[in-house]
Amino acid sequence: MAATLLRRGAVASRRLCPAEVLRRLVSSEAAPERAPSRTPPEMPPFDHQPRPYAGMAGAEIFEKRKAVLGPSLFHYYQKPLNIVEGKMQYLYDEHGKRYLDCFGGIVTVSCGHCHQDIVNAVVEQTKLLQHTTTIYLHHAIVEFAEALTSKMPGNLKVVYFVNSGTEANELAMLMARLYSGNLSMIALRNAYHGGSAGTIGLTGLQTWKYPIPQGEIHHVMNPDPYRGTFGSDAAAYAKEVEEHITYGSSGRVAGFIAETFQGVGGAVELAPGYLKLAYDIVRKAGGVCIADEVQSGFGRTGSHYWGFQTQDVIPDIVTMAKGIGNGLPLGAVVTTPEIASVLAQRIQFNTFGGNPVCSAGGLAVLNVLDKEKRQAHCADVGSHLVERLKSLQQKHERDVRGRGLMLGVELVTDRKEKTPAKAETAVLFEKLKVGKGGLHGNVFRIKPPMCFSKDDADFLVEAMDYAMSGI
Ligand SMILES: Cc1ncc(COP(=O)(O)O)c(C=O)c1O
Protein backbone atom coordinates (compact mmCIF):
# COMPACT_ATOMS: atom_id res chain seq x y z
CA MET A 1 0.00 0.00 0.00
CA ALA A 2 2.67 2.47 0.89
CA ALA A 3 6.39 2.82 0.69
CA THR A 4 7.97 3.93 3.91
CA LEU A 5 11.45 4.55 5.19
CA LEU A 6 13.41 1.50 6.18
CA ARG A 7 14.33 0.50 9.66
CA ARG A 8 18.05 1.10 9.97
CA GLY A 9 20.15 -1.98 9.39
CA ALA A 10 17.13 -4.27 9.48
CA VAL A 11 18.40 -6.53 6.72
CA ALA A 12 21.83 -8.10 6.77
CA SER A 13 24.01 -7.20 3.80
CA ARG A 14 25.35 -10.78 3.27
CA ARG A 15 23.44 -12.53 0.45
CA LEU A 16 21.02 -15.02 1.98
CA CYS A 17 19.13 -17.89 0.36
CA PRO A 18 15.36 -17.21 0.00
CA ALA A 19 14.40 -19.65 2.73
CA GLU A 20 16.81 -17.98 5.13
CA VAL A 21 15.55 -14.55 4.16
CA LEU A 22 11.99 -15.59 4.88
CA ARG A 23 12.89 -17.34 8.13
CA ARG A 24 14.60 -14.20 9.35
CA LEU A 25 11.68 -12.12 8.29
CA VAL A 26 9.22 -14.29 10.16
CA SER A 27 11.37 -13.99 13.27
CA SER A 28 12.60 -10.58 12.20
CA GLU A 29 13.57 -9.49 15.67
CA ALA A 30 16.07 -12.38 15.74
CA ALA A 31 17.82 -11.15 12.59
CA PRO A 32 21.16 -9.57 13.38
CA GLU A 33 21.18 -5.80 13.17
CA ARG A 34 23.96 -4.56 10.96
CA ALA A 35 25.19 -1.04 10.49
CA PRO A 36 23.57 0.33 7.31
CA SER A 37 25.94 0.70 4.41
CA ARG A 38 24.30 4.04 3.58
CA THR A 39 21.55 6.24 4.91
CA PRO A 40 17.95 5.49 3.97
CA PRO A 41 16.35 7.84 1.43
CA GLU A 42 14.09 10.60 2.64
CA MET A 43 10.50 11.12 1.62
CA PRO A 44 9.80 14.41 -0.20
CA PRO A 45 8.56 17.14 2.14
CA PHE A 46 4.80 17.70 2.34
CA ASP A 47 2.95 20.51 4.02
CA HIS A 48 0.17 18.79 5.92
CA GLN A 49 -0.27 18.29 9.63
CA PRO A 50 -2.34 15.19 10.43
CA ARG A 51 -4.88 15.48 13.23
CA PRO A 52 -3.98 13.81 16.52
CA TYR A 53 -5.61 10.39 16.56
CA ALA A 54 -7.49 9.30 19.67
CA GLY A 55 -9.28 6.27 18.25
CA MET A 56 -8.81 2.55 18.79
CA ALA A 57 -5.23 1.33 18.45
CA GLY A 58 -4.29 -0.87 15.49
CA ALA A 59 -3.57 -3.91 17.66
CA GLU A 60 -7.03 -3.73 19.21
CA ILE A 61 -8.75 -3.24 15.85
CA PHE A 62 -6.89 -6.25 14.55
CA GLU A 63 -8.14 -8.43 17.42
CA LYS A 64 -11.72 -7.19 17.21
CA ARG A 65 -11.71 -7.58 13.44
CA LYS A 66 -10.86 -11.26 13.84
CA ALA A 67 -13.83 -11.67 16.15
CA VAL A 68 -16.50 -9.71 14.31
CA LEU A 69 -15.52 -9.77 10.64
CA GLY A 70 -15.48 -12.71 8.28
CA PRO A 71 -12.38 -14.92 8.43
CA SER A 72 -11.84 -14.69 4.68
CA LEU A 73 -10.52 -11.13 5.04
CA PHE A 74 -6.82 -10.86 4.45
CA HIS A 75 -4.39 -8.15 5.45
CA TYR A 76 -1.04 -6.92 4.28
CA TYR A 77 2.13 -7.06 6.42
CA GLN A 78 2.80 -9.01 9.59
CA LYS A 79 1.71 -6.05 11.64
CA PRO A 80 -1.13 -4.50 9.61
CA LEU A 81 -1.10 -0.75 9.22
CA ASN A 82 -3.77 1.33 10.91
CA ILE A 83 -4.19 4.17 8.42
CA VAL A 84 -6.24 6.99 9.89
CA GLU A 85 -5.78 9.94 7.55
CA GLY A 86 -4.93 10.65 3.93
CA LYS A 87 -3.99 13.75 1.98
CA MET A 88 -3.33 13.53 -1.77
CA GLN A 89 -0.59 10.88 -2.30
CA TYR A 90 0.26 10.52 1.39
CA LEU A 91 -1.21 8.50 4.24
CA TYR A 92 -0.78 8.77 8.00
CA ASP A 93 -0.96 6.00 10.55
CA GLU A 94 -2.28 6.20 14.10
CA HIS A 95 1.03 7.65 15.31
CA GLY A 96 1.08 10.38 12.68
CA LYS A 97 3.79 8.63 10.66
CA ARG A 98 3.64 9.52 6.97
CA TYR A 99 3.64 7.01 4.12
CA LEU A 100 3.88 7.53 0.39
CA ASP A 101 0.89 5.75 -1.11
CA CYS A 102 2.04 3.74 -4.12
CA PHE A 103 -1.07 1.61 -4.41
CA GLY A 104 -3.96 4.11 -4.18
CA GLY A 105 -6.25 1.90 -2.09
CA ILE A 106 -5.84 -0.72 -4.81
CA VAL A 107 -5.88 1.64 -7.78
CA THR A 108 -8.94 3.44 -6.48
CA VAL A 109 -7.72 6.82 -5.32
CA SER A 110 -7.34 8.55 -8.67
CA CYS A 111 -7.26 12.30 -7.86
CA GLY A 112 -5.68 12.03 -4.41
CA HIS A 113 -6.84 11.23 -0.88
CA CYS A 114 -9.50 13.66 0.33
CA HIS A 115 -9.05 15.89 -2.71
CA GLN A 116 -10.73 19.14 -1.73
CA ASP A 117 -12.94 19.48 -4.84
CA ILE A 118 -14.32 15.99 -4.40
CA VAL A 119 -14.86 16.37 -0.68
CA ASN A 120 -16.74 19.62 -1.36
CA ALA A 121 -18.97 18.05 -4.01
CA VAL A 122 -19.84 15.10 -1.77
CA VAL A 123 -20.44 17.21 1.33
CA GLU A 124 -22.61 19.77 -0.47
CA GLN A 125 -24.77 17.06 -2.05
CA THR A 126 -25.02 15.14 1.22
CA LYS A 127 -26.27 18.24 3.02
CA LEU A 128 -28.95 18.78 0.38
CA LEU A 129 -30.18 15.28 -0.50
CA GLN A 130 -28.35 12.06 0.20
CA HIS A 131 -30.59 9.54 -1.42
CA THR A 132 -33.48 9.03 -3.77
CA THR A 133 -33.37 6.40 -6.49
CA THR A 134 -33.65 6.51 -10.25
CA ILE A 135 -37.42 6.24 -9.78
CA TYR A 136 -37.30 10.02 -9.21
CA LEU A 137 -35.54 12.66 -11.22
CA HIS A 138 -32.24 14.13 -10.17
CA HIS A 139 -29.89 16.39 -12.09
CA ALA A 140 -26.64 14.86 -10.74
CA ILE A 141 -27.07 11.48 -12.44
CA VAL A 142 -27.65 12.93 -15.91
CA GLU A 143 -24.87 15.49 -15.55
CA PHE A 144 -22.48 12.74 -14.57
CA ALA A 145 -23.69 10.39 -17.34
CA GLU A 146 -23.27 13.12 -19.96
CA ALA A 147 -19.76 13.92 -18.75
CA LEU A 148 -18.81 10.24 -18.70
CA THR A 149 -20.13 9.44 -22.17
CA SER A 150 -18.37 12.52 -23.55
CA LYS A 151 -15.15 10.65 -22.71
CA MET A 152 -16.14 7.58 -24.74
CA PRO A 153 -15.41 6.91 -28.41
CA GLY A 154 -17.84 5.58 -31.02
CA ASN A 155 -21.42 4.89 -30.11
CA LEU A 156 -20.75 4.14 -26.42
CA LYS A 157 -23.38 6.59 -25.29
CA VAL A 158 -25.58 4.92 -22.65
CA VAL A 159 -24.70 4.37 -18.99
CA TYR A 160 -25.96 2.07 -16.25
CA PHE A 161 -24.61 3.05 -12.84
CA VAL A 162 -23.80 0.43 -10.22
CA ASN A 163 -21.73 0.32 -7.01
CA SER A 164 -18.62 -1.71 -7.80
CA GLY A 165 -16.53 -3.34 -10.50
CA THR A 166 -18.03 -6.72 -9.75
CA GLU A 167 -21.55 -5.40 -10.30
CA ALA A 168 -20.45 -3.69 -13.50
CA ASN A 169 -19.02 -6.91 -14.91
CA GLU A 170 -22.09 -8.91 -13.83
CA LEU A 171 -24.30 -6.48 -15.70
CA ALA A 172 -22.05 -6.46 -18.74
CA MET A 173 -22.10 -10.27 -18.91
CA LEU A 174 -25.89 -10.27 -18.56
CA MET A 175 -26.22 -7.82 -21.43
CA ALA A 176 -23.80 -9.80 -23.58
CA ARG A 177 -25.88 -12.95 -23.10
CA LEU A 178 -29.21 -11.28 -23.69
CA TYR A 179 -28.02 -9.32 -26.70
CA SER A 180 -26.29 -12.23 -28.42
CA GLY A 181 -28.73 -14.93 -27.39
CA ASN A 182 -25.68 -17.07 -26.54
CA LEU A 183 -24.25 -18.30 -23.26
CA SER A 184 -20.51 -18.83 -23.66
CA MET A 185 -18.20 -16.14 -22.37
CA ILE A 186 -14.51 -15.96 -23.18
CA ALA A 187 -12.11 -14.55 -20.62
CA LEU A 188 -8.35 -14.50 -20.22
CA ARG A 189 -6.33 -16.66 -17.90
CA ASN A 190 -4.77 -14.51 -15.19
CA ALA A 191 -7.70 -12.06 -15.31
CA TYR A 192 -9.59 -10.67 -12.34
CA HIS A 193 -13.16 -9.50 -12.88
CA GLY A 194 -14.77 -9.66 -9.44
CA GLY A 195 -15.89 -11.77 -6.53
CA SER A 196 -19.60 -12.51 -7.15
CA ALA A 197 -20.77 -15.95 -8.20
CA GLY A 198 -20.86 -14.86 -11.85
CA THR A 199 -17.64 -12.90 -12.01
CA ILE A 200 -15.70 -15.58 -10.14
CA GLY A 201 -16.38 -17.59 -13.28
CA LEU A 202 -14.82 -14.87 -15.45
CA THR A 203 -11.80 -14.55 -13.18
CA GLY A 204 -8.85 -16.66 -14.32
CA LEU A 205 -6.82 -16.97 -11.11
CA GLN A 206 -7.42 -19.93 -8.81
CA THR A 207 -6.63 -17.84 -5.72
CA TRP A 208 -9.95 -16.04 -6.11
CA LYS A 209 -12.14 -18.93 -7.25
CA TYR A 210 -14.40 -20.79 -4.84
CA PRO A 211 -15.46 -24.28 -5.91
CA ILE A 212 -18.89 -23.41 -7.27
CA PRO A 213 -20.32 -23.77 -10.79
CA GLN A 214 -18.23 -21.39 -12.88
CA GLY A 215 -20.80 -20.80 -15.61
CA GLU A 216 -20.23 -21.25 -19.30
CA ILE A 217 -16.76 -19.66 -19.42
CA HIS A 218 -13.75 -20.43 -21.63
CA HIS A 219 -10.44 -19.19 -20.35
CA VAL A 220 -8.11 -18.60 -23.24
CA MET A 221 -4.33 -18.21 -23.14
CA ASN A 222 -3.09 -15.00 -21.67
CA PRO A 223 -1.30 -12.83 -24.26
CA ASP A 224 1.39 -12.02 -21.72
CA PRO A 225 4.57 -10.79 -23.44
CA TYR A 226 6.75 -11.73 -20.44
CA ARG A 227 5.45 -15.15 -19.37
CA GLY A 228 3.07 -16.17 -22.17
CA THR A 229 3.82 -19.22 -24.33
CA PHE A 230 3.89 -17.12 -27.52
CA GLY A 231 5.66 -14.07 -26.11
CA SER A 232 4.33 -10.98 -27.89
CA ASP A 233 2.89 -12.89 -30.85
CA ALA A 234 -0.67 -11.53 -30.80
CA ALA A 235 -1.77 -13.60 -33.81
CA ALA A 236 -0.81 -16.87 -32.13
CA TYR A 237 -2.85 -16.03 -29.02
CA ALA A 238 -5.78 -14.88 -31.16
CA LYS A 239 -5.73 -18.17 -33.05
CA GLU A 240 -6.19 -19.93 -29.74
CA VAL A 241 -9.36 -17.87 -29.15
CA GLU A 242 -10.65 -19.08 -32.49
CA GLU A 243 -9.84 -22.67 -31.60
CA HIS A 244 -11.67 -22.41 -28.29
CA ILE A 245 -14.74 -21.24 -30.16
CA THR A 246 -14.39 -23.94 -32.82
CA TYR A 247 -13.69 -26.87 -30.52
CA GLY A 248 -15.14 -25.85 -27.17
CA SER A 249 -18.40 -24.09 -28.01
CA SER A 250 -21.38 -24.35 -30.35
CA GLY A 251 -19.52 -21.91 -32.57
CA ARG A 252 -21.54 -19.01 -31.20
CA VAL A 253 -20.52 -17.05 -28.12
CA ALA A 254 -22.04 -14.34 -25.93
CA GLY A 255 -18.94 -12.27 -25.48
CA PHE A 256 -15.34 -11.70 -24.62
CA ILE A 257 -14.02 -9.77 -21.64
CA ALA A 258 -10.50 -8.54 -20.95
CA GLU A 259 -8.57 -5.99 -18.97
CA THR A 260 -6.05 -4.34 -21.29
CA PHE A 261 -3.67 -4.09 -18.33
CA GLN A 262 -4.23 -6.94 -15.92
CA GLY A 263 -4.14 -5.52 -12.43
CA VAL A 264 -4.61 -8.26 -9.83
CA GLY A 265 -2.81 -10.62 -12.22
CA GLY A 266 0.37 -8.57 -11.76
CA ALA A 267 0.47 -5.55 -14.06
CA VAL A 268 0.44 -7.45 -17.34
CA GLU A 269 -0.07 -5.40 -20.52
CA LEU A 270 -1.57 -7.54 -23.29
CA ALA A 271 0.56 -8.26 -26.36
CA PRO A 272 0.28 -5.35 -28.85
CA GLY A 273 -2.42 -5.88 -31.47
CA TYR A 274 -4.13 -8.72 -29.59
CA LEU A 275 -7.48 -7.10 -28.85
CA LYS A 276 -8.07 -6.13 -32.48
CA LEU A 277 -7.63 -9.72 -33.61
CA ALA A 278 -9.57 -11.23 -30.70
CA TYR A 279 -12.47 -8.76 -31.12
CA ASP A 280 -12.79 -9.66 -34.82
CA ILE A 281 -12.93 -13.37 -34.04
CA VAL A 282 -15.46 -12.94 -31.23
CA ARG A 283 -17.72 -10.67 -33.26
CA LYS A 284 -17.75 -13.16 -36.14
CA ALA A 285 -18.99 -15.76 -33.62
CA GLY A 286 -21.87 -13.47 -32.61
CA GLY A 287 -20.31 -12.17 -29.39
CA VAL A 288 -19.85 -8.68 -27.97
CA CYS A 289 -16.54 -7.35 -26.69
CA ILE A 290 -16.24 -6.03 -23.15
CA ALA A 291 -13.34 -3.93 -21.91
CA ASP A 292 -12.84 -4.06 -18.15
CA GLU A 293 -11.46 -0.60 -17.37
CA VAL A 294 -11.87 -0.90 -13.63
CA GLN A 295 -8.14 -0.25 -13.12
CA SER A 296 -6.78 1.14 -16.37
CA GLY A 297 -9.28 3.89 -17.15
CA PHE A 298 -9.39 7.66 -16.57
CA GLY A 299 -5.98 8.50 -18.00
CA ARG A 300 -3.88 6.40 -15.63
CA THR A 301 -1.90 4.82 -18.47
CA GLY A 302 -0.81 8.30 -19.54
CA SER A 303 -0.82 7.66 -23.28
CA HIS A 304 -4.62 7.27 -23.47
CA TYR A 305 -7.73 7.96 -21.42
CA TRP A 306 -8.88 4.32 -21.63
CA GLY A 307 -6.73 1.21 -21.63
CA PHE A 308 -8.45 -0.27 -24.69
CA GLN A 309 -7.35 2.74 -26.77
CA THR A 310 -3.77 1.53 -26.45
CA GLN A 311 -4.86 -1.42 -28.63
CA ASP A 312 -6.76 0.75 -31.10
CA VAL A 313 -10.15 -0.92 -30.58
CA ILE A 314 -13.63 0.24 -29.63
CA PRO A 315 -15.40 -2.25 -27.35
CA ASP A 316 -19.17 -2.83 -27.34
CA ILE A 317 -19.35 -2.54 -23.56
CA VAL A 318 -16.98 -0.82 -21.12
CA THR A 319 -17.04 -1.48 -17.38
CA MET A 320 -15.50 0.83 -14.80
CA ALA A 321 -15.22 1.33 -11.05
CA LYS A 322 -12.44 2.17 -8.55
CA GLY A 323 -10.82 5.38 -9.90
CA ILE A 324 -14.18 6.63 -11.20
CA GLY A 325 -15.10 7.59 -7.63
CA ASN A 326 -11.73 8.35 -5.96
CA GLY A 327 -12.94 6.11 -3.11
CA LEU A 328 -16.72 6.42 -3.44
CA PRO A 329 -18.59 3.14 -3.97
CA LEU A 330 -19.31 3.67 -7.64
CA GLY A 331 -19.22 1.65 -10.83
CA ALA A 332 -20.57 2.08 -14.36
CA VAL A 333 -21.30 0.16 -17.52
CA VAL A 334 -21.23 2.15 -20.74
CA THR A 335 -22.52 0.64 -23.94
CA THR A 336 -24.36 1.36 -27.17
CA PRO A 337 -28.07 2.26 -27.15
CA GLU A 338 -28.79 -0.99 -29.00
CA ILE A 339 -27.09 -3.24 -26.46
CA ALA A 340 -28.43 -1.22 -23.51
CA SER A 341 -31.97 -1.77 -24.75
CA VAL A 342 -31.88 -5.52 -24.06
CA LEU A 343 -32.37 -4.85 -20.36
CA ALA A 344 -35.63 -3.02 -21.09
CA GLN A 345 -37.43 -6.34 -21.64
CA ARG A 346 -37.61 -6.61 -17.82
CA ILE A 347 -37.05 -4.14 -14.96
CA GLN A 348 -33.41 -3.48 -14.15
CA PHE A 349 -32.99 -1.68 -10.87
CA ASN A 350 -30.15 -0.82 -8.55
CA THR A 351 -31.02 1.03 -5.32
CA PHE A 352 -27.79 2.97 -5.00
CA GLY A 353 -26.69 3.03 -8.65
CA GLY A 354 -26.37 6.67 -9.71
CA ASN A 355 -27.34 8.05 -6.29
CA PRO A 356 -26.98 11.83 -5.95
CA VAL A 357 -23.91 11.75 -3.68
CA CYS A 358 -21.85 9.34 -5.78
CA SER A 359 -22.94 11.06 -8.99
CA ALA A 360 -21.85 14.46 -7.66
CA GLY A 361 -18.56 12.95 -6.50
CA GLY A 362 -18.00 11.11 -9.79
CA LEU A 363 -18.58 14.30 -11.77
CA ALA A 364 -16.09 16.11 -9.53
CA VAL A 365 -13.53 13.36 -10.24
CA LEU A 366 -13.87 13.83 -14.01
CA ASN A 367 -13.52 17.59 -13.60
CA VAL A 368 -10.43 17.32 -11.39
CA LEU A 369 -8.73 14.89 -13.79
CA ASP A 370 -9.31 17.36 -16.63
CA LYS A 371 -8.48 20.52 -14.68
CA GLU A 372 -5.27 19.10 -13.26
CA LYS A 373 -4.31 17.43 -16.55
CA ARG A 374 -3.72 14.13 -14.82
CA GLN A 375 -3.43 12.01 -17.95
CA ALA A 376 -0.46 14.06 -19.18
CA HIS A 377 0.95 14.05 -15.65
CA CYS A 378 0.75 10.22 -15.52
CA ALA A 379 2.58 10.02 -18.86
CA ASP A 380 5.31 12.36 -17.65
CA VAL A 381 5.86 10.95 -14.16
CA GLY A 382 5.30 7.38 -15.36
CA SER A 383 7.99 7.53 -18.03
CA HIS A 384 10.42 9.04 -15.52
CA LEU A 385 9.61 6.28 -13.03
CA VAL A 386 9.93 3.49 -15.60
CA GLU A 387 13.31 4.79 -16.69
CA ARG A 388 14.55 4.87 -13.11
CA LEU A 389 13.12 1.42 -12.38
CA LYS A 390 14.78 0.07 -15.52
CA SER A 391 18.12 1.37 -14.34
CA LEU A 392 17.57 -0.69 -11.18
CA GLN A 393 16.75 -3.66 -13.43
CA GLN A 394 20.42 -3.79 -14.39
CA LYS A 395 21.29 -4.38 -10.73
CA HIS A 396 18.52 -6.74 -9.58
CA GLU A 397 16.67 -9.54 -11.42
CA ARG A 398 13.29 -8.19 -12.41
CA ASP A 399 10.89 -7.25 -15.18
CA VAL A 400 9.69 -3.66 -15.23
CA ARG A 401 6.51 -3.06 -17.21
CA GLY A 402 3.46 -0.91 -17.72
CA ARG A 403 2.61 2.61 -18.74
CA GLY A 404 1.92 5.86 -16.99
CA LEU A 405 1.14 5.21 -13.35
CA MET A 406 0.02 1.64 -13.99
CA LEU A 407 3.31 -0.18 -13.43
CA GLY A 408 4.60 -3.51 -12.22
CA VAL A 409 7.99 -4.80 -11.12
CA GLU A 410 8.21 -8.57 -11.22
CA LEU A 411 10.97 -10.13 -9.12
CA VAL A 412 12.57 -13.34 -10.35
CA THR A 413 15.56 -15.29 -9.10
CA ASP A 414 16.96 -15.89 -12.58
CA ARG A 415 16.35 -14.10 -15.84
CA LYS A 416 16.12 -17.22 -18.03
CA GLU A 417 13.79 -19.46 -16.02
CA LYS A 418 11.87 -16.48 -14.59
CA THR A 419 11.46 -18.31 -11.30
CA PRO A 420 9.33 -16.12 -9.04
CA ALA A 421 11.45 -14.65 -6.24
CA LYS A 422 8.80 -15.34 -3.63
CA ALA A 423 10.92 -15.08 -0.50
CA GLU A 424 12.75 -11.90 -1.55
CA THR A 425 9.44 -10.35 -2.54
CA ALA A 426 8.01 -11.21 0.87
CA VAL A 427 10.90 -9.46 2.61
CA LEU A 428 10.71 -6.35 0.46
CA PHE A 429 6.94 -6.28 0.70
CA GLU A 430 7.28 -6.20 4.47
CA LYS A 431 10.03 -3.60 4.51
CA LEU A 432 8.64 -1.25 1.88
CA LYS A 433 4.95 -1.78 2.59
CA VAL A 434 4.11 -1.78 -1.10
CA GLY A 435 1.22 -3.52 -2.90
CA LYS A 436 1.67 -6.76 -4.78
CA GLY A 437 -0.05 -9.04 -7.26
CA GLY A 438 0.36 -11.91 -9.69
CA LEU A 439 -0.41 -15.58 -9.09
CA HIS A 440 2.87 -16.02 -7.21
CA GLY A 441 2.65 -12.69 -5.39
CA ASN A 442 6.04 -11.64 -6.78
CA VAL A 443 4.99 -8.47 -8.62
CA PHE A 444 5.07 -5.07 -6.96
CA ARG A 445 2.15 -3.12 -8.29
CA ILE A 446 2.84 0.62 -8.51
CA LYS A 447 -0.45 2.41 -9.09
CA PRO A 448 -0.44 5.46 -6.86
CA PRO A 449 -2.88 8.35 -6.75
CA MET A 450 -2.42 10.21 -10.04
CA CYS A 451 -0.98 13.27 -8.27
CA PHE A 452 2.19 11.25 -7.48
CA SER A 453 5.19 13.43 -8.35
CA LYS A 454 8.64 12.85 -9.85
CA ASP A 455 10.14 13.42 -6.39
CA ASP A 456 7.87 10.69 -5.05
CA ALA A 457 8.99 8.42 -7.90
CA ASP A 458 12.65 9.08 -7.05
CA PHE A 459 12.03 8.33 -3.41
CA LEU A 460 10.28 5.06 -4.27
CA VAL A 461 13.12 3.90 -6.52
CA GLU A 462 15.74 4.82 -3.94
CA ALA A 463 13.80 3.03 -1.21
CA MET A 464 13.53 -0.08 -3.41
CA ASP A 465 17.21 0.02 -4.23
CA TYR A 466 18.11 0.49 -0.59
CA ALA A 467 15.90 -2.42 0.50
CA MET A 468 17.08 -4.73 -2.28
CA SER A 469 20.73 -3.99 -1.77
CA GLY A 470 20.34 -5.25 1.77
CA ILE A 471 19.20 -8.75 0.75
C1 LIG B 1 -10.01 -5.34 -13.33
C2 LIG B 1 -11.00 -5.49 -12.21
N1 LIG B 1 -12.28 -5.75 -12.51
C3 LIG B 1 -13.21 -5.86 -11.53
C4 LIG B 1 -12.87 -5.74 -10.21
C5 LIG B 1 -13.90 -5.88 -9.14
O1 LIG B 1 -14.15 -4.63 -8.58
P1 LIG B 1 -14.81 -4.48 -7.14
O2 LIG B 1 -13.83 -4.95 -6.13
O3 LIG B 1 -15.13 -3.01 -7.05
O4 LIG B 1 -16.04 -5.30 -7.14
C6 LIG B 1 -11.55 -5.47 -9.86
C7 LIG B 1 -11.14 -5.35 -8.44
O5 LIG B 1 -9.99 -5.39 -8.09
C8 LIG B 1 -10.59 -5.35 -10.89
O6 LIG B 1 -9.30 -5.09 -10.62
Side-chain angles (χ1 to χ4, degrees), residues 29-268:
E29 297 321 313
E33 293 279 327
R34 291 268 187 102
S37 53
R38 56 186 212 250
T39 48
E42 276 191 30
M43 205 179 290
F46 186 61
D47 189 18
H48 176 75
Q49 188 59 42
R51 282 193 211 168
Y53 175 72
M56 205 185 285
E60 193 184 347
I61 297 173
F62 193 34
E63 284 315 306
K64 284 188 189 281
R65 193 177 123 127
K66 285 188 224 163
V68 296
L69 299 180
S72 68
L73 294 188
F74 65 99
H75 62 271
Y76 270 2
Y77 324 125
Q78 305 229 320
K79 193 173 164 214
L81 293 177
N82 182 22
I83 298 295
V84 298
E85 193 169 325
K87 190 72 195 162
M88 299 309 278
Q89 68 272 44
Y90 298 106
L91 294 166
Y92 299 85
D93 70 11
E94 60 191 311
H95 308 295
K97 182 175 173 184
R98 181 161 63 101
Y99 297 79
L100 171 63
D101 186 355
C102 299
F103 206 18
I106 317 192
V107 211
T108 298
V109 179
S110 43
C111 301
H113 291 278
C114 301
H115 190 292
Q116 202 54 56
D117 291 11
I118 298 154
V119 171
N120 290 347
V122 167
V123 169
E124 287 311 310
Q125 185 55 55
T126 306
K127 285 199 283 195
L128 211 54
L129 178 71
Q130 190 175 358
H131 180 71
T132 55
T133 68
T134 46
I135 290 174
Y136 305 99
L137 302 183
H138 196 273
H139 65 94
I141 188 170
V142 287
E143 283 163 5
F144 182 31
E146 275 182 348
L148 194 56
T149 53
S150 77
K151 299 287 182 194
M152 305 303 300
N155 201 23
L156 294 165
K157 294 295 170 215
V158 177
V159 188
Y160 285 107
F161 285 113
V162 292
N163 309 289
S164 68
T166 298
E167 280 188 22
N169 285 333
E170 278 286 354
L171 196 61
M173 181 160 55
L174 177 64
M175 281 196 269
R177 286 179 166 157
L178 293 174
Y179 182 76
S180 66
N182 303 319
L183 259 187
S184 294
M185 288 292 299
I186 298 175
L188 297 182
R189 296 175 194 164
N190 202 49
Y192 183 82
H193 296 295
S196 63
T199 55
I200 279 177
L202 294 175
T203 292
L205 285 157
Q206 61 155 287
T207 351
W208 305 93
K209 279 176 165 299
Y210 289 101
I212 56 166
Q214 302 285 307
E216 178 74 29
I217 317 283
H218 301 262
H219 284 102
V220 294
M221 270 184 173
N222 194 27
D224 174 352
Y226 183 63
R227 287 195 175 274
T229 312
F230 304 126
S232 294
D233 186 348
Y237 294 112
K239 190 160 187 297
E240 208 251 342
V241 174
E242 198 161 33
E243 288 181 354
H244 257 277
I245 295 172
T246 307
Y247 295 106
S249 79
S250 65
R252 307 292 292 165
V253 296
F256 167 89
I257 184 165
E259 307 155 85
T260 319
F261 295 79
Q262 291 174 335
V264 175
V268 176

Side-chain angles (χ1 to χ4, degrees), residues 266-343:
V268 176
E269 179 171 353
L270 307 187
Y274 172 77
L275 283 185
K276 218 176 192 119
L277 299 170
Y279 278 20
D280 276 353
I281 292 163
V282 169
R283 283 172 176 152
K284 278 190 195 128
V288 302
C289 298
I290 305 167
D292 180 334
E293 291 285 338
V294 167
Q295 293 206 15
S296 54
F298 302 97
R300 177 169 286 281
T301 62
S303 58
H304 299 80
Y305 202 81
W306 303 108
F308 62 77
Q309 291 170 321
T310 64
Q311 294 253 342
D312 198 19
V313 290
I314 299 183
D316 304 302
I317 304 177
V318 180
T319 60
M320 45 194 95
K322 290 189 183 268
I324 190 176
N326 198 48
L328 292 163
L330 178 58
V333 184
V334 184
T335 187
T336 63
E338 201 188 346
I339 295 176
S341 70
V342 292
L343 289 180

